[in-house]
Amino acid sequence: MNPVFVIGHRNPDTDSICSAICYAELKHRLTGEPYIPCRAGHVNTETKFVLERFGVKAPRYIKSFEPCLSDVQYRRIPGIDEEMSLHRAWNYMNENDIQTLAVVDEDRHLKGLLTLSDIARFYMEDKDANALAEAGTSYRNLVDVLDGTLIVGDIEKRFEQGSVVVAAANPDVLEDYIGPHDMVILGNRYESQLCAIEMNAGCIIIGLGAKVSRTIRKLASENQVSIIATPLTTYSCAKVVSQAVPVRHVMRRRGLITFEPDDVVEDVKRAVSKKRMRYYPLLDEQGRYIGMFSQRNLLDLERPSVILVDHNERDQAADGIRSTNIIEIIDHHRIDSVETSGPIYFRNQPLGCTATIITGMYHEHNVPIEPKIAGLLCSAILSDTLMFRSPTCTPLDRAAAEELAQIAGLDIREYATEMFRSSSCLRDRSMDELFHMDFKYFQIQNKKIAISQITSVSENELNGIRDKMLDYMEDYLKTSGLSMQFVMLTDIIEEKTELLYVGRGAKNLVHTAFRKECGEHSVVLPGVVSRKKQMVTPLLSAMEEEGTM
């Protein structure tokens, strides 16, 4: 079975990360199948503290579910050397049932491509008798193709001058056809062999398995004429000798289309849709050849199975979520726009934290909760409910956290304070990091807004970043494509939020949502600590109200 990915929303918080880890563990223990916890963003400081506290690695980071070529079942066919003969390349293609070969150097860098069509074109086109010399064909290739033996000469040398001549006539006539450096194909006639040597041929090929006399060997050596003896007939020699040509002489060098494992499959499909080639080389980041894939491989790609936790909104999901097969959703937020291809298991409960739901599922299936898992689930509940201060917190959340704390050996107040302080030291971080630390998009009609929340146990710390954050928000708004931006500076101890806002109409929207006199870019909201219940609902309701006016 292929693995199932369990993943939370973008800009993940502690609940999103811990719920993914704990639910993946529960599913694995119930089924024995692989369930992989993942994350769609970077781990924030608070979550990092939690993971380190319980000795758990951060989940796998998935930038996008959009399938890449690394997900394609490509063929790991080794590349070939450019000196390989067409004969060997043809056999290699047949053995591996492939129509395209990559020609590479010793470091696997691509030098060209060889296709069956290239080989067929070479044979079918009217090649003159000089083709072997033009290609600089090695004697090693010639011996291999002819299934012969080099009787005289150096096998490392190349045939680089002359034409191929078939010595079918008597010696008197041959004198008019054989030129210096030519390759002469002949039989066992001593006179013809002697004539070829006297005419300064470059190489003579003696067929029919005929023995080569000592005299011919000596004369050939003295005149620097190579001799290849072969069991083939003269006809067969003439037929196959051109197969000794090295692939570099035939391969395609220009206009090569190559791809890398990170290339998105949809982009690749568009790039090759109007091309006639069936196979394409895959190269790594250093340009080294990896393997070959076909257009059919792009069509046979299987969609990954995914379980969403702590969200059900397409805008909050990892990129490429439409390319996946969503099989489950476990969430405690409003139901939004994620679409599935068929019925799925969807569990949505009005609780303060997804981890509370997952804790209940452990109990429902009678699966014991280990201390490490208990610590993660408890941390998620304390984080999402702001240690039970959030209005989203329910008695079930509190009861679950207290039970989990006992299993994990935690003192709730002491541990929660330590956890919240771990994400403090706000002045040491950039405004961009703080703004995106806990950040979500929301859309009503044609307006898209973003709400970020920054929490602290120190009011002075929040006041210290206020003005810098407003300046950052003004700059970010210009390029973000958003209508408005909001940042909640939430004091956990005092249970209040100073809401910062920028964007045309933001001040009026906040006034409509909370019925309070607002400053130019901020308002203090006592008792407001929950984005989900106390911020999102009033703002989106006010946007809908404005949209109907």
Side-chain angles (χ1 to χ4, degrees), residues 212-227:
V212 183
S213 68
R214 292 182 180 180
T215 302
I216 292 296
R217 294 185 189 187
K218 181 181 179 182
L219 291 173
S221 179
E222 290 174 351
N223 289 273
Q224 298 183 339
V225 178
S226 299
I227 298 178

Side-chain angles (χ1 to χ4, degrees), residues 334-405:
R334 66 179 185 139
I335 298 175
D336 197 70
S337 54
V338 168
E339 298 178 2
T340 62
S341 58
I344 66 168
Y345 180 80
F346 191 139
R347 184 154 178 168
N348 185 280
Q349 292 180 249
L351 297 173
C353 183
T354 303
T356 305
I357 303 173
I358 294 173
T359 300
M361 297 177 76
Y362 269 84
H363 293 325
E364 292 165 12
H365 292 285
N366 296 316
V367 176
I369 302 177
E370 299 174 354
K372 178 172 63 176
I373 296 296
L376 296 179
L377 292 170
C378 182
S379 301
I381 296 172
L382 294 176
S383 175
D384 249 25
T385 65
L386 299 176
M387 201 171 67
F388 315 132
R389 287 176 168 83
S390 172
T392 61
C393 183
T394 70
L396 282 177
D397 294 299
R398 180 184 286 271
E402 290 172 350
E403 175 199 354
L404 294 164

Side-chain angles (χ1 to χ4, degrees), residues 7 14 75 122 163 227 232 292 298-299 396 417:
I7 191 167
T14 300
R75 301 187 66 179
F122 175 77
S163 302
I227 298 178
L232 302 181
M292 199 79 65
L298 303 180
L299 300 176
L396 282 177
T417 302

Side-chain angles (χ1 to χ4, degrees), residues 39 154 174 244 250 253 256 279 285 300 325 375 378 385 391 430 466 504 530-531:
R39 56 189 172 92
D154 184 354
L174 285 178
V250 179
R253 301 173 183 269
L256 302 181
Y279 291 89
E285 293 180 354
D300 295 339
N325 178 31
C378 182
T385 65
S430 68
R466 177 184 181 281
R504 185 176 180 181
S530 169
R531 173 174 54 194

Side-chain angles (χ1 to χ4, degrees), residues 479-499:
T479 58
S480 66
L482 299 168
S483 302
M484 291 172 270
Q485 292 174 177
F486 302 87
V487 173
M488 299 172 63
L489 301 180
T490 302
D491 186 328
I492 299 173
I493 303 299
E494 297 297 325
E495 296 187 45
K496 67 177 182 180
T497 289
E498 181 177 9
L499 180 64

